[in-house]
Amino acid sequence: MALPVEEWRLYAARRWASLEPPLRERLAAASLPETLRLGCGLLRPEADAAALRRLCRRTRVGKEPAAARFYREEGNRLFGRRQYAAALRLYSQAASHELPGSPEVAVCFANRSAALFHLGHFEVCLEDIARAESHGYPDRLLPKVLLRKVECLLCLGRLQDAADTLSMVENKITMDGKVTSPAHQTLLKKLSQLKIKLHEKESHPEPAQEACGDNQTQLEIWEENDSISGASSSLSLDFDIERGRHLVASQDIGPGQSLLKEEAFVSVLCPGESLLLQDSSGTAWDTRVTNADLYCHHCLRQLLASLPCRGCSYAKYCSQNCADVAWERYHRTECSLGALLLTLGVFCHVALRTVLLAGFAEVGRLVEWSHDGDKVLEAPDTRADNRGIPGCNNNGQYQSCYQAVFNLLPHTEKHSPEHKFLCMLSVVAICKQLQEAGLEAAVLNQEPSEKLSKPKTCEKTSGELSPELKTVAEAMLRHVLQLQCNAQAITVMQELGSGDGAVVKKKPVRLATAFFPVLSLLNHSCCPNTSVSFSGTAATVRASQPIPSGQEIFHCYGPHRCRMKVAERQQLLSQYFFECHCQACLDELQSDVSVVSMRNSFCCPSCQSPMQGEDMLCCSNEVCAISVSRENLSRRLQDLERQIKEALELLRDRKADQAIQMLLKCQVDAGNFLSPEHLLMGEMEDHLAQVYATLGKWQEAARHLERSIEIVEMHHGPSSVETGHELLKLAQILFNGFAVSKALSTIQRAEEILSVHCGPQSTQIQELQEMKACLSELPRSILQRT
Ligand SMILES: [Zn+2]
Ligand SMILES: [Zn+2]
Ligand SMILES: [Zn+2]
Ligand SMILES: [Zn+2]
């Protein structure tokens, strides 16, 4: 997803292989400007651009009335079956394919407002009704929608507004007056019902609702660093040849303390897989949900009732404000390029958006500056302040800005020449497309009239890029190469399944790819001393353990020592062009024993003692002397994983009893050849807990989850974020099962752990506090029973 689609990668590889060897050699050794100068002419319009266009055709990003009709009918069908959440999503899909201001899009909003009403989202329902009205909802259908508005207002306790709307509808219905039609009769009946309801509410006003819980929002202590934007004052910026730029604790830091709070310089929502996998037949429309349906294209907040872009079907927003800001800053350029950007991958997309956000003046200034010798890599002299550290301004300050992004290392000489060629070809394709689509003025931040006075750029018909676009292409190429080492994934815990069990299953998903120039100052460790969490496009880094003054601040780029063995980690880290020398790697390389292999090991099928060895494993118990091939054990493991998957499918089909039987059988099988601490043993316990929770058997669910937690603790540590998430789940189960005192102590533990990793304002902590408040309000009689 980060890189272009496979077909384009293979195409570029073939092109590279067919180049004359001297040209290949020159490209392999070329600097960034040189690569571009040599490469610009290599994208042949007749062959290469056409091949790319064919690939783009598979991706649907335009507005298609046929799709709109399909999604709306599908939505109506599910609405009829009372599957309101699914219907809501389909109406949003339908709306994204209708033209703005059309009666059809108004119908989509009106239908969606009905789904929202049934789901209890009254405020949002009102917004959709207003949208339906403003987009020209057919007048004869209006009374029905307005009656829904009255109902909403009543639910929200806005009685005066409800009364006003009610009398307006009444007038309208009387004036329309086809008294005989059944639809009219239904309206009148509804109208009189609502009148009664309004009257009741007016005579028995509800007491104003008090805010629940004792709003103990803890304020975090935060003092910002004078010279590094977004960093705490307890950090300082350092530089040496071996470690490059890095951050160090300038005083003792306690666990949970915020160290960085940074807004992404740029972020691009990762598309869901299915946007790319649609078949080209055009008959079957995809109803699966993707990131693009779930999160705002601009601010990454979760979407309930999305607003589609006026020009395309793939950009969806949480609000008109986000739609307007995105359009102004980048989307007016990107809108028509959707298919190309999806085909060429997120890195190219981030690169384009980065230059659009920076503005051409700044891009041009820095590209030119980079041509005056490579002062970027020069080591600073030994001055006391940060002046001379790359990316810092003349006052020695490091700010989250385009200059800081520009100074992230592109490692031009370390990428393979084929990879550089692929990136170059892709970037040039985007710039050519910009030129052909007449978007050059928008990219260069010129008014269209300015462009007319510059015949140099607009009379180009040869397909050659203008000098300005070459500058843009060079900056973009730099950013694509930088992203390999500096891309930061924005992740969220996404809820899985329909959530009809009271315990929500969540897993972390990659939501977007972003540049965080300050966060990028942190080096990697496989056992980091920080945790990163995200809210929208903002990242917060917190100390996950005490950090003494003088110690370097580390964060984990992905390969954590609890998830992978040292060899796998080093393999993964090679994409960042470095060998990890963190304490975990040093220890493991020396002792040859990793946390992962120790716990994810096999046991003897006969006597359950640990098995040892590489290809042929022997029982460690000398009397037993059984040996089994690794291949055999791996096959059994795969078999087991397949059966677990089947059990989960049974659960999805609401065959909970069968799912339990199957999982229990899997557990027995697994006990014969997996060590009791094996992660899979924990996962099975977790699944069992989930199934029992859907059945409302809270005690059984809690029992299984407690065992799962023991294993998670062994792998990730008792104060890890993973353990925190498991404890949150346990708290939900105990809460639902009214196991009050146990629930309260679990909430306490989960709160302690999660506030360190996610902060006191996170949704997880809020959820825990709501449970606590609720439990403390229970009558004493119940509390004493438990
Ligand atoms: Zn938004
Ligand atoms: Zn658009
Ligand atoms: Zn390491
Ligand atoms: Zn044995």
Side-chain angles (χ1 to χ4, degrees):
M1 243 181 351
L3 294 176
V5 294
E6 195 185 9
E7 291 87 341
W8 181 244
R9 291 206 303 268
L10 294 172
Y11 186 92
R14 283 198 300 274
R15 276 284 281 137
W16 170 257
S18 72
L19 295 181
E20 294 291 326
L23 179 56
R24 275 212 304 259
E25 269 166 41
R26 282 178 67 194
L27 276 168
S31 65
L32 273 178
E34 182 76 358
T35 306
L36 229 99
R37 209 176 47 74
L38 289 169
C40 251
L42 290 177
L43 185 88
R44 300 167 304 183
E46 65 295 0
D48 306 335
L52 189 53
R53 265 198 301 278
R54 263 197 308 281
L55 290 174
C56 289
R57 240 170 264 144
R58 301 184 310 178
T59 310
R60 306 187 128 136
V61 291
K63 297 204 182 278
E64 297 184 47
R69 216 173 309 124
F70 169 81
Y71 286 126
R72 201 172 54 234
E73 279 161 16
E74 200 62 10
N76 288 342
R77 196 172 62 81
L78 292 181
F79 187 92
R81 284 163 39 184
R82 293 167 194 257
Q83 295 183 24
Y84 300 119
L88 170 74
R89 227 182 52 229
L90 287 158
Y91 291 140
S92 294
Q93 299 258 47
S96 71
H97 279 283
E98 299 285 14
L99 294 176
S102 65
E104 286 83 8
V105 80
V107 171
C108 288
F109 289 138
N111 287 1
R112 195 169 70 178
S113 75
L116 284 164
F117 179 80
H118 283 284
L119 291 167
H121 297 294
F122 303 121
E123 297 280 4
V124 193
C125 173
L126 288 175
E127 286 171 22
D128 256 2
I129 291 174
R131 271 178 209 131
E133 286 181 276
S134 71
H135 283 267
Y137 191 67
D139 199 53
R140 62 194 164 81
L141 299 175
L142 207 50
K144 194 173 159 192
V145 175
L146 290 176
L147 286 176
R148 186 176 305 136
K149 185 172 171 180
V150 175
E151 265 186 294
C152 260
L153 291 167
L154 283 175
C155 290
L156 290 168
R158 287 161 59 180
L159 302 187
Q160 189 54 52
D161 291 344
D164 294 347
T165 314
L166 196 60
S167 63
M168 192 181 86
V169 199
E170 194 168 18
N171 286 337
K172 199 161 169 44
I173 293 176
T174 344
M175 285 194 10
D176 290 354
K178 280 188 233 85
V179 194
T180 45
S181 87
H184 191 87
Q185 294 297 335
T186 320
L187 278 181
L188 286 176
K189 202 166 139 204
K190 183 95 206 172
L191 183 74
S192 59
Q193 282 170 355
L194 284 176
K195 269 190 183 162
I196 296 168
K197 213 163 156 188
L198 174 65
H199 186 71
E200 275 172 10
K201 287 229 175 188
E202 278 171 340
S203 46
H204 302 286
E206 283 160 23
Q209 266 199 350
E210 277 171 60
C212 181
D214 48 348
N215 253 332
Q216 38 167 268
T217 35
Q218 295 150 267
L219 277 177
E220 287 184 81
I221 315 149
W222 176 257
E223 202 183 310
E224 188 160 316
N225 200 293
D226 290 332
S227 53
I228 316 159
S229 70
S232 138
S233 58
S234 35
L235 303 182
S236 65
L237 179 60
D238 240 330
F239 181 94
D240 62 45
I241 293 297
E242 193 194 336
R243 289 180 288 185
R245 298 175 300 189
H246 56 277
L247 294 175
V248 174
S250 55
Q251 60 191 65
D252 292 345
I253 291 168
Q257 194 185 320
S258 304
L259 302 178
L260 294 180
K261 291 178 183 177
E262 187 180 17
E263 190 64 38
F265 178 82
V266 56
S267 60
V268 169
L269 185 67
C270 298
E273 287 295 329
S274 61
L275 262 179
L276 295 166
L277 292 177
Q278 286 169 356
D279 63 277
S280 49
S281 63
T283 46
W285 295 95
D286 206 321
T287 53
R288 280 174 300 176
V289 201
T290 71
N291 276 346
D293 303 309
L294 294 174
Y295 300 94
C296 177
H297 191 78
H298 180 67
C299 73
L300 305 179
R301 257 186 276 276
Q302 206 160 358
L303 293 172
L304 183 57
S306 61
L307 276 179
C309 167
R310 57 183 121 156
C312 66
S313 64
Y314 72 96
K316 293 167 188 142
Y317 300 96
C318 70
S319 62
Q320 194 56 47
N321 183 50
C322 273
D324 293 343
V325 172
W327 184 263
E328 197 42 50
R329 294 201 189 143
Y330 54 85
H331 193 67
R332 64 193 165 131
T333 313
E334 291 178 4
C335 187
S336 67
L337 263 53
L340 184 63
L341 294 171
L342 285 167
T343 304
L344 292 180
V346 175
F347 280 7
C348 281
H349 197 164
V350 174
L352 173 64
R353 194 172 290 177
T354 303
V355 298
L356 294 175
L357 289 171
F360 182 69
E362 192 65 359
V363 171
R365 180 178 79 82
L366 285 160
V367 167
E368 198 163 305
W369 169 82
S370 72
H371 292 176
D372 313 339
D374 251 330
K375 46 191 168 194
V376 186
L377 291 172
E378 237 167 66
D381 43 28
T382 44
R383 267 178 291 197
D385 57 24
N386 299 333
R387 251 172 282 181
I389 293 187
C392 288
N393 64 19
N394 295 335
N395 298 323
Q397 284 168 330
Y398 188 86
Q399 308 281 352
S400 170
C401 63
Y402 185 62
Q403 183 176 333
V405 172
F406 196 88
N407 271 291
L408 297 171
L409 294 180
H411 291 295
T412 316
E413 65 295 340
K414 290 181 184 157
H415 292 274
S416 76
E418 290 94 329
H419 180 70
K420 271 193 291 187
F421 181 74
L422 166 71
C423 296
M424 187 273 298
L425 219 53
S426 306
V427 162
V428 170
I430 293 175
C431 290
K432 288 231 162 126
Q433 176 77 36
L434 288 170
Q435 189 162 283
E436 279 163 27
L439 290 163
E440 189 177 353
V443 178
L444 306 182
N445 312 108
Q446 294 168 339
E447 293 300 314
S449 56
E450 270 181 68
K451 208 189 149 194
L452 287 177
S453 64
K454 279 182 80 183
K456 194 176 59 145
T457 51
C458 72
E459 269 177 18
K460 238 167 220 111
T461 46
S462 62
E464 164 108 7
L465 285 181
S466 70
E468 291 85 353
L469 277 177
K470 277 186 186 156
T471 301
V472 168
E474 187 184 325
M476 279 175 66
L477 180 57
R478 182 187 191 89
H479 299 321
V480 173
L481 297 180
Q482 286 170 330
L483 280 164
Q484 187 160 328
C485 296
N486 293 290
Q488 175 64 52
I490 295 182
T491 55
V492 286
M493 295 299 282
Q494 192 168 70
E495 292 182 7
L496 297 177
S498 56
D500 45 2
V503 184
V504 190
K505 186 135 183 143
K506 292 178 179 174
K507 72 159 195 212
V509 292
R510 187 189 189 104
L511 186 56
T513 300
F515 269 131
F516 285 95
V518 182
L519 186 55
S520 283
L521 294 172
L522 296 182
N523 281 328
H524 164 84
S525 163
C526 304
C527 47
N529 48 16
T530 62
S531 262
V532 188
S533 58
F534 298 93
S535 164
T537 54
T540 303
V541 177
R542 289 188 169 77
S544 59
Q545 60 194 58
I547 305 175
S549 173
Q551 197 176 81
E552 182 171 354
I553 312 295
F554 289 107
H555 111 108
C556 177
Y557 293 178
H560 196 282
R561 83 185 172 111
C562 293
R563 286 189 285 271
M564 290 173 209
K565 292 187 209 174
V566 62
E568 294 170 74
R569 297 202 304 264
Q570 297 284 356
Q571 160 73 27
L572 238 157
L573 289 167
S574 64
Q575 68 160 312
Y576 301 108
F577 308 119
F578 77 90
E579 252 175 73
C580 187
H581 299 296
C582 77
Q583 203 51 48
C585 283
L586 294 179
D587 291 351
E588 246 174 82
L589 284 169
Q590 238 164 37
S591 65
D592 211 30
V593 181
S594 83
V595 184
V596 176
S597 62
M598 231 160 50
R599 290 162 192 157
N600 279 344
S601 56
F602 295 112
C603 73
C604 170
S606 161
C607 73
Q608 271 83 52
S609 305
M611 297 290 277
Q612 291 167 338
E614 281 305 314
D615 293 341
M616 206 58 188
L617 289 99
C618 293
C619 178
S620 57
N621 176 1
E622 277 168 29
V623 239
C624 177
I626 275 191
S627 67
V628 191
S629 71
R630 182 170 291 275
E631 201 195 329
N632 177 305
L633 290 168
S634 302
R635 209 171 326 117
R636 286 181 76 171
L637 184 60
Q638 278 170 14
D639 230 39
L640 185 67
E641 281 168 340
R642 190 180 43 75
Q643 286 185 47
I644 294 175
K645 234 168 122 187
E646 277 172 33
L648 292 180
E649 271 155 30
L650 285 171
L651 176 62
R652 218 163 302 139
D653 297 340
R654 290 160 208 268
K655 293 173 183 159
D657 288 329
Q658 287 177 41
I660 291 175
Q661 290 314 315
M662 190 136 186
L663 283 170
L664 289 173
K665 190 181 144 286
C666 287
Q667 268 193 325
V668 175
D669 285 353
N672 286 326
F673 73 105
L674 295 184
S675 73
E677 299 88 32
H678 200 284
L679 260 187
L680 205 58
M681 298 298 252
E683 277 171 34
M684 282 186 283
E685 297 286 4
D686 190 82
H687 296 321
L688 277 165
Q690 177 83 6
V691 189
Y692 280 117
T694 59
L695 293 174
K697 295 188 174 172
W698 306 112
Q699 276 181 358
E700 280 93 337
R703 206 155 41 80
H704 286 286
L705 199 59
E706 277 162 2
R707 274 194 237 131
S708 159
I709 291 176
E710 280 174 30
I711 295 177
V712 170
E713 277 184 341
M714 261 188 271
H715 282 261
H716 298 282
S719 47
S720 63
V721 68
E722 287 85 358
T723 302
H725 286 307
E726 289 293 300
L727 285 169
L728 171 58
K729 261 195 263 178
L730 181 61
Q732 288 171 324
I733 284 173
L734 295 167
F735 176 86
N736 284 311
F738 282 107
V740 179
S741 62
K742 247 175 118 179
L744 283 171
S745 64
T746 307
I747 289 172
Q748 177 74 22
R749 267 193 73 198
E751 225 181 310
E752 277 164 20
I753 296 171
L754 288 172
S755 63
V756 165
H757 295 280
C758 314
Q761 260 104 37
S762 60
T763 49
Q764 289 94 332
I765 297 295
Q766 277 167 20
E767 198 173 327
L768 287 164
Q769 284 178 347
E770 274 162 30
M771 281 194 273
K772 196 160 60 178
C774 213
L775 289 175
S776 63
E777 275 163 23
L778 285 178
R780 290 228 163 265
S781 54
I782 296 182
L783 287 174
Q784 273 153 5
R785 260 194 288 145
T786 58

